[in-house]
Amino acid sequence: MQPENKTILLFASKSLLRTYKLVGFTKTIVLFSVVAFFSVTLIIIPINMLMGGSILTGMVINVIVCTTFMPYHLYQVLSLLVELDTLRMEIYDTSIRDELTKAYNRRYFFEATRILENTDSHIPPHTSILLIDLDDFKVLNDTYGHATGDRALKTLTEQCNLMFRNSDVFARYGGDEFICLLPQTNHEQAHEIAKRTSERFSEVTIKAKGAEIPLHASIGVATSSTEQKLSDLISMADQALYKAKRQGKNRIQAL
């Protein structure tokens, strides 16, 4: 296939899929069939007249093509495009989410936060990071089993998803540690969000071996006062989290 033909097909496929997302399946087929009718009319009728036929004959041929073959062809093509697009989205969603908790993964976190960076790879002031670590996770696994530990991680994720805003970027950072970027959030606001998150955890328990197990988490908070690299801000939050752990866990520490 010639490169020009490939470009035309790619453009037509994207237009078809874009229209489907705007108006739906049936309306897309009807709309493109109507467009095809008027477009083909400009071709078939002159050719038919040059061959000695009449305008009426050309119109009849065009009507037959655009009410039978064209809708069927569009149905087949659009069905395939929708299926491929759905599969593509499922593959992409799988690639950016943690398999266990379904939170975003570390890779997506850094992809999503890149839009905040300027040309010097610095993030703006009043950007905050929360590092959240489930307390005594190893003890929980050793005492109640890894299935219980998995439930604890899932529960933490569910509670965080309920707490954070749509503009925040929440992800599993590794092991029992989670990270959340809070754009346009100053130090006081970030600390308040961390406080509400911690309070919500304290209200949650999970059942295992007939016992109600409370969940607690330590949270490190860091906020940029000037433009700085995201890695430096995460390092500050990590230091804050380390202090929270050293001071007895189940607490919030800010830098």
Side-chain angles (χ1 to χ4, degrees), residues 80-233:
L80 180 60
L81 288 174
V82 171
E83 184 177 345
L84 290 174
D85 188 62
T86 301
L87 180 61
R88 179 185 64 82
M89 292 301 296
E90 288 176 353
I91 292 173
Y92 175 70
D93 191 65
T94 300
S95 73
I96 63 175
R97 290 193 181 275
D98 173 59
E99 184 177 0
L100 173 65
T101 64
K102 305 307 177 186
Y104 288 120
N105 57 26
R106 187 186 184 115
R107 169 196 163 194
Y108 177 80
F109 175 83
F110 286 106
E111 283 183 0
T113 55
R114 196 172 295 140
I115 63 174
L116 294 175
E117 297 177 348
N118 60 21
T119 53
D120 296 323
S121 298
H122 288 171
I123 56 174
H126 304 306
T127 301
S128 295
I129 288 288
L130 303 186
L131 271 180
I132 305 167
D133 189 89
L134 196 60
D135 290 334
D136 300 318
F137 182 66
K138 186 178 185 304
V139 175
L140 184 67
N141 273 334
D142 293 344
T143 305
Y144 297 100
H146 289 280
T148 301
D150 289 348
R151 289 211 315 277
L153 293 175
K154 290 178 182 178
T155 301
L156 185 148
T157 300
E158 291 168 359
Q159 298 306 313
C160 285
N161 284 333
L162 292 173
M163 291 296 299
F164 296 133
R165 306 163 298 186
N166 291 334
S167 58
D168 302 332
V169 184
F170 171 71
R172 186 178 182 185
Y173 200 55
D176 59 338
E177 195 169 270
F178 294 78
I179 190 169
C180 186
L181 181 138
L182 310 170
Q184 299 179 345
T185 306
N186 62 33
H187 178 79
E188 291 75 16
Q189 292 169 329
H191 194 277
E192 180 61 28
I193 292 172
K195 180 182 177 182
R196 293 201 307 266
T197 303
S198 179
E199 289 173 350
R200 191 176 188 94
F201 289 159
S202 66
E203 299 171 357
V204 176
T205 60
I206 57 175
K207 291 182 180 181
K209 297 182 179 180
E212 293 281 346
I213 307 167
L215 296 182
H216 299 293
S218 299
I219 304 176
V221 184
T223 303
S224 60
S225 55
T226 60
E227 291 185 352
Q228 66 181 106
K229 288 186 175 296
L230 177 62
S231 58
D232 293 338
L233 189 61

